[in-house]
Amino acid sequence: MSPSTVQETWKDIGIMFQTATEEKYKDGEIIFKEGSSGDWIYVIESGAVEISKKIGGEKVVMVVLKPGEIIGELGFITKTPRTATATAIGDTTVGIIDPILFEQEFNKLSPGFQAVLTRLAERLKKTTESACLIRKTLHKQK
Protein backbone atom coordinates (compact mmCIF):
# COMPACT_ATOMS: atom_id res chain seq x y z
CA MET A 1 0.00 0.00 0.00
CA SER A 2 1.52 3.32 -1.03
CA PRO A 3 1.78 6.20 1.47
CA SER A 4 -0.96 8.06 -0.41
CA THR A 5 -3.25 5.00 -0.18
CA VAL A 6 -2.56 4.75 3.56
CA GLN A 7 -3.38 8.45 3.92
CA GLU A 8 -6.59 7.93 1.94
CA THR A 9 -7.50 5.02 4.24
CA TRP A 10 -7.14 7.27 7.28
CA LYS A 11 -8.98 10.09 5.56
CA ASP A 12 -11.89 7.70 4.95
CA ILE A 13 -12.30 7.16 8.68
CA GLY A 14 -11.74 10.79 9.54
CA ILE A 15 -8.20 10.47 10.86
CA MET A 16 -5.23 11.99 9.09
CA PHE A 17 -1.70 11.98 10.45
CA GLN A 18 1.52 13.05 8.84
CA THR A 19 4.33 10.55 8.91
CA ALA A 20 7.61 12.12 9.99
CA THR A 21 9.68 9.44 8.27
CA GLU A 22 9.56 5.93 6.87
CA GLU A 23 11.51 2.87 7.95
CA LYS A 24 12.02 -0.31 5.94
CA TYR A 25 12.42 -3.74 7.52
CA LYS A 26 13.27 -7.13 6.10
CA ASP A 27 11.49 -10.36 7.05
CA GLY A 28 12.08 -11.18 10.72
CA GLU A 29 13.51 -7.81 11.70
CA ILE A 30 12.26 -6.33 14.96
CA ILE A 31 10.46 -2.98 14.68
CA PHE A 32 10.20 -2.63 18.45
CA LYS A 33 10.65 -4.96 21.41
CA GLU A 34 8.40 -5.68 24.33
CA GLY A 35 9.54 -3.58 27.28
CA SER A 36 11.16 -0.86 25.15
CA SER A 37 10.14 2.78 25.36
CA GLY A 38 6.85 3.64 23.66
CA ASP A 39 8.04 6.84 22.00
CA TRP A 40 6.65 6.27 18.51
CA ILE A 41 3.44 5.31 16.74
CA TYR A 42 3.74 3.56 13.39
CA VAL A 43 1.42 3.01 10.45
CA ILE A 44 2.05 -0.07 8.31
CA GLU A 45 2.45 1.10 4.73
CA SER A 46 3.42 -2.21 3.10
CA GLY A 47 4.13 -5.77 4.16
CA ALA A 48 2.83 -7.13 7.45
CA VAL A 49 3.72 -6.98 11.14
CA GLU A 50 3.48 -9.79 13.68
CA ILE A 51 2.63 -8.66 17.21
CA SER A 52 3.86 -11.12 19.84
CA LYS A 53 4.35 -11.28 23.58
CA LYS A 54 6.58 -13.37 25.85
CA ILE A 55 4.57 -15.28 28.42
CA GLY A 56 6.41 -17.61 30.74
CA GLY A 57 9.44 -17.37 28.46
CA GLU A 58 7.45 -18.48 25.40
CA LYS A 59 6.55 -16.37 22.40
CA VAL A 60 2.79 -16.00 21.88
CA VAL A 61 1.70 -14.50 18.56
CA MET A 62 -1.23 -12.20 19.22
CA VAL A 63 -2.04 -10.94 15.72
CA VAL A 64 -0.63 -10.26 12.26
CA LEU A 65 -1.46 -6.78 11.00
CA LYS A 66 -1.61 -5.53 7.41
CA PRO A 67 -1.15 -2.15 5.67
CA GLY A 68 -3.22 0.69 7.08
CA GLU A 69 -3.03 -0.62 10.66
CA ILE A 70 -1.41 1.39 13.46
CA ILE A 71 1.05 -0.15 15.92
CA GLY A 72 2.68 1.23 19.04
CA GLU A 73 -0.21 3.43 20.07
CA LEU A 74 -0.82 1.85 23.48
CA GLY A 75 2.66 2.57 24.83
CA PHE A 76 2.60 6.06 23.38
CA ILE A 77 -0.80 7.01 24.76
CA THR A 78 -0.27 5.45 28.20
CA LYS A 79 3.39 6.56 28.43
CA THR A 80 4.41 3.04 29.41
CA PRO A 81 6.87 0.49 27.96
CA ARG A 82 5.82 -1.58 24.95
CA THR A 83 3.59 -4.51 25.89
CA ALA A 84 4.54 -6.58 22.85
CA THR A 85 7.16 -7.08 20.16
CA ALA A 86 6.49 -6.01 16.56
CA THR A 87 8.29 -8.06 13.89
CA ALA A 88 8.28 -7.54 10.12
CA ILE A 89 6.80 -10.32 8.01
CA GLY A 90 8.32 -10.05 4.56
CA ASP A 91 9.65 -6.73 3.34
CA THR A 92 7.77 -4.16 5.38
CA THR A 93 7.63 -0.37 5.35
CA VAL A 94 6.23 1.59 8.26
CA GLY A 95 5.64 5.31 8.55
CA ILE A 96 6.42 6.92 11.87
CA ILE A 97 3.59 9.22 12.83
CA ASP A 98 4.85 12.65 13.82
CA PRO A 99 4.70 12.47 17.64
CA ILE A 100 4.47 16.24 18.07
CA LEU A 101 1.47 16.44 15.74
CA PHE A 102 -0.16 13.46 17.47
CA GLU A 103 0.34 15.08 20.89
CA GLN A 104 -1.07 18.37 19.60
CA GLU A 105 -4.17 16.60 18.25
CA PHE A 106 -4.57 14.55 21.44
CA ASN A 107 -4.22 17.69 23.57
CA LYS A 108 -7.05 19.37 21.64
CA LEU A 109 -9.41 16.87 23.26
CA SER A 110 -11.05 17.80 26.53
CA PRO A 111 -9.23 16.52 29.64
CA GLY A 112 -12.16 14.22 30.35
CA PHE A 113 -12.06 12.67 26.88
CA GLN A 114 -8.26 12.32 27.11
CA ALA A 115 -8.74 10.44 30.38
CA VAL A 116 -11.35 8.14 28.79
CA LEU A 117 -9.02 7.30 25.89
CA THR A 118 -6.05 6.74 28.21
CA ARG A 119 -8.10 4.43 30.47
CA LEU A 120 -9.39 2.59 27.43
CA ALA A 121 -5.82 2.06 26.20
CA GLU A 122 -4.77 0.84 29.68
CA ARG A 123 -7.72 -1.57 29.76
CA LEU A 124 -6.88 -2.84 26.28
CA LYS A 125 -3.32 -3.56 27.45
CA LYS A 126 -4.63 -5.60 30.40
CA THR A 127 -7.16 -7.42 28.21
CA THR A 128 -4.47 -8.26 25.66
CA GLU A 129 -2.24 -9.69 28.39
CA SER A 130 -5.12 -11.79 29.72
CA ALA A 131 -5.96 -13.05 26.22
CA CYS A 132 -2.33 -14.07 25.69
CA LEU A 133 -2.33 -16.04 28.93
CA ILE A 134 -5.54 -17.82 27.91
CA ARG A 135 -4.17 -18.53 24.43
CA LYS A 136 -0.96 -19.98 25.88
CA THR A 137 -2.93 -22.14 28.34
CA LEU A 138 -5.21 -23.47 25.58
CA HIS A 139 -2.23 -24.15 23.31
CA LYS A 140 -0.54 -26.23 26.03
CA GLN A 141 -3.73 -28.29 26.51
CA LYS A 142 -3.72 -29.43 22.88
Side-chain angles (χ1 to χ4, degrees):
M1 183 177 278
S2 71
S4 62
T5 306
V6 171
Q7 288 176 347
E8 288 302 316
T9 300
W10 289 111
K11 202 181 287 182
D12 288 344
I13 59 173
I15 300 172
M16 180 72 166
F17 291 108
Q18 296 175 350
T19 53
T21 187
E22 285 184 346
E23 293 182 351
K24 296 184 183 295
Y25 295 89
K26 297 204 178 296
D27 186 47
E29 283 189 295
I30 304 287
I31 299 167
F32 57 77
K33 281 189 126 177
E34 183 176 351
S36 65
S37 177
D39 296 336
W40 305 102
I41 300 173
Y42 305 83
V43 60
I44 303 166
E45 294 181 355
S46 66
V49 176
E50 173 190 271
I51 305 297
S52 64
K53 184 166 184 57
K54 287 275 188 185
I55 300 194
E58 291 183 38
K59 177 181 169 180
V60 177
V61 176
M62 296 169 11
V63 68
V64 174
L65 300 172
K66 304 282 185 192
E69 296 281 352
I70 290 181
I71 59 174
E73 73 286 354
L74 291 180
F76 189 88
I77 291 171
T78 61
K79 310 287 189 239
T80 59
R82 303 280 187 203
T83 58
T85 296
T87 307
I89 297 180
D91 290 339
T92 299
T93 301
V94 296
I96 298 176
I97 294 175
D98 184 334
I100 294 169
L101 179 62
F102 187 90
E103 281 287 338
Q104 288 172 346
E105 292 299 316
F106 188 77
N107 290 332
K108 287 179 184 177
L109 301 172
S110 70
F113 198 66
Q114 287 179 31
V116 168
L117 290 178
T118 301
R119 297 299 176 269
L120 183 60
E122 290 168 351
R123 188 175 312 143
L124 181 57
K125 283 175 69 167
K126 289 177 184 176
T127 302
T128 300
E129 290 173 7
S130 295
C132 284
L133 285 170
I134 292 167
R135 185 172 187 173
K136 181 182 174 193
T137 301
L138 291 174
H139 180 71
K140 283 191 172 202
Q141 292 176 354
K142 288 183 180 179

